[in-house]
Amino acid sequence: MGLNDEAGYVFDIQHFSIHDGPGIRTTVFLSGCSLRCRWCQNPESYHLRPRLSFCAEKCTKCMACLPACPEKAVSFENGVIRNNRELCTACGACIPVCPAEARSIIGREYTAEEVLKDVESDRVFYEGSGGGVTLSGGEVLFQPVFSTAVLKLCRENNLSTAVETTGNAAWQTVRDVLENTDLVLYDLKHMNSAEHKKGTGAGNERILENLKKIPKELNIPVIVRIPVIPGFNDSEENIRNSAGFILNELGPETPVNLLPYHRFGVGKWEQLEMSGPVFETEPPEDEAMQRLKEIFEKNNLNVQIGG
Ligand code: SF4
Ligand code: SF4
């Protein structure tokens, strides 16, 4: 099998993105992730395979979807439509019969060549702006063979690439994927491993070790991105520790992006009917973001709010 034929799962491709690396970019969102961040703004990436999305607010309870489902996954109970996620195969048969457009399938399989064709359509914008293609997710390292194939195809076709990653994988995997990209956008969520585990489901030891190795062993530029989640990682102590780590381990030239939490992902949790409580908090105030930014500036780090 050649690079072109490698296949993987993608849940979105966004064109004209300006927050995922330099210039105008196309961001390819890969499905699957090894972390379970409580505030995740792309919960559709939790599942590798395509998944039914159902908007209860749009549903008019016409019942057309019940007989359309070959798996008998749809039922009407206590006045509401229910989708049995154990039975649903995301076949999509219920979508065309729904007059309210309340149903859709998130994600699909792509070959690396299909991704290349899609992202190539904006080549002229990359060239004019210093932009390119960003692989994001989900977690790019969750589908390392597919990610590597897409990155190599982009490189062969003179498209600049960036990878956004949480770095939560074995070093061998991190190295095999990232050595094919031009820039790494590395998420740093919490410096305390126990707190990191509470918020994301995994400790941070491997993540920090991998981050230290990227500039040293791969010689690829890194931008550190810190999602600022009020009540989770926005204490001055954690931000000071983050700044110290970046300064000592990566160097003062390393750019840092502080990304304020937003609530755009909350509705997605409901539409995907994911289990567990939906995490919600208020976005951080501008003043609070400014105070955190100053901590990095006092450490002579090149920091900005936003990506
Ligand atoms: S996607 Fe297919 S299996 Fe799932 S509820 Fe709709 S018709 Fe049934
Ligand atoms: S077909 Fe659409 S509108 Fe009708 S019950 Fe099913 S989800 Fe609701």
Side-chain angles (χ1 to χ4, degrees):
M1 185 190 283
L3 282 182
N4 288 6
D5 302 319
E6 285 296 347
Y9 293 99
V10 170
F11 68 85
D12 199 8
I13 298 181
Q14 283 179 8
H15 294 262
F16 303 108
S17 166
I18 53 166
H19 297 296
D20 297 316
I24 296 173
R25 312 193 68 83
T26 299
T27 305
V28 181
F29 292 90
L30 275 72
S31 306
C33 189
S34 59
L35 296 183
R36 289 290 178 263
C37 300
R38 292 173 53 226
W39 60 88
C40 182
Q41 288 157 358
N42 291 326
E44 60 270 58
S45 67
Y46 271 26
H47 303 91
L48 183 61
R49 306 276 169 161
R51 189 169 168 94
L52 173 73
S53 172
F54 169 62
C55 180
E57 283 168 14
K58 287 187 182 173
C59 173
T60 59
K61 300 173 188 163
C62 75
M63 310 288 169
C65 50
L66 273 72
C69 176
E71 308 297 338
K72 301 198 176 356
V74 192
S75 59
F76 185 68
E77 294 165 37
N78 301 325
V80 290
I81 292 289
R82 301 231 180 257
N83 301 290
N84 184 326
R85 298 286 171 172
E86 302 278 310
L87 298 177
C88 176
T89 59
C91 72
C94 56
I95 294 170
V97 303
C98 176
E101 299 185 349
R103 313 176 77 85
S104 59
I105 300 293
I106 307 289
R108 77 163 175 91
E109 196 175 25
Y110 278 78
T111 63
E113 187 181 25
E114 283 179 299
V115 174
L116 178 70
K117 275 198 181 138
D118 192 311
V119 301
E120 262 203 315
S121 61
D122 287 339
R123 181 186 289 275
V124 64
F125 298 105
Y126 310 147
E127 288 171 356
S129 68
V133 179
T134 299
L135 298 194
S136 181
E139 171 51 63
V140 172
L141 303 174
F142 204 77
Q143 299 188 69
V145 176
F146 177 57
S147 305
T148 302
V150 173
L151 291 169
K152 281 185 173 172
L153 276 185
C154 286
R155 191 165 268 178
E156 280 177 11
N157 287 276
N158 297 315
L159 294 174
S160 172
T161 62
V163 168
E164 191 206 348
T165 180
T166 69
N168 185 37
W171 172 245
Q172 177 84 36
T173 304
V174 175
R175 192 183 62 195
D176 288 352
V177 175
L178 297 189
E179 67 186 2
N180 297 291
T181 192
D182 304 314
L183 171 68
V184 179
L185 311 174
Y186 203 98
D187 295 351
L188 192 59
K189 299 171 200 285
H190 208 298
M191 294 306 295
N192 177 296
S193 189
E195 292 301 318
H196 194 281
K197 188 162 189 179
K198 270 190 223 164
T200 72
N204 67 4
E205 289 83 358
R206 181 162 71 162
I207 290 168
L208 297 181
E209 280 307 306
N210 287 339
L211 176 54
K212 284 196 265 184
K213 284 182 184 168
I214 292 169
K216 288 175 189 147
E217 297 196 21
L218 299 180
N219 197 25
I220 300 171
V222 176
I223 297 175
V224 176
R225 312 219 308 174
I226 301 179
V228 176
I229 316 295
F232 170 63
N233 65 355
D234 63 337
S235 70
E236 291 202 4
E237 181 192 8
N238 182 55
I239 295 298
R240 264 198 310 275
N241 290 342
S242 304
F245 178 87
I246 295 165
L247 189 63
N248 296 328
E249 301 293 347
L250 305 175
E253 68 284 356
T254 307
V256 180
N257 294 172
L258 297 177
L259 309 177
Y261 165 82
H262 59 71
R263 304 173 77 243
F264 302 154
V266 172
K268 295 184 191 174
W269 284 81
E270 289 156 7
Q271 293 186 12
L272 294 161
E273 298 173 315
M274 310 260 290
S275 57
V278 179
F279 174 86
E280 275 190 81
T281 187
E282 289 301 315
E285 304 278 342
D286 290 350
E287 274 179 25
M289 289 299 298
Q290 206 55 45
R291 275 199 304 277
L292 301 183
K293 182 171 178 253
E294 283 166 13
I295 294 174
F296 287 92
E297 287 167 342
K298 278 185 193 147
N299 283 277
N300 296 318
L301 283 160
N302 167 16
V303 60
Q304 70 176 50
I305 295 172

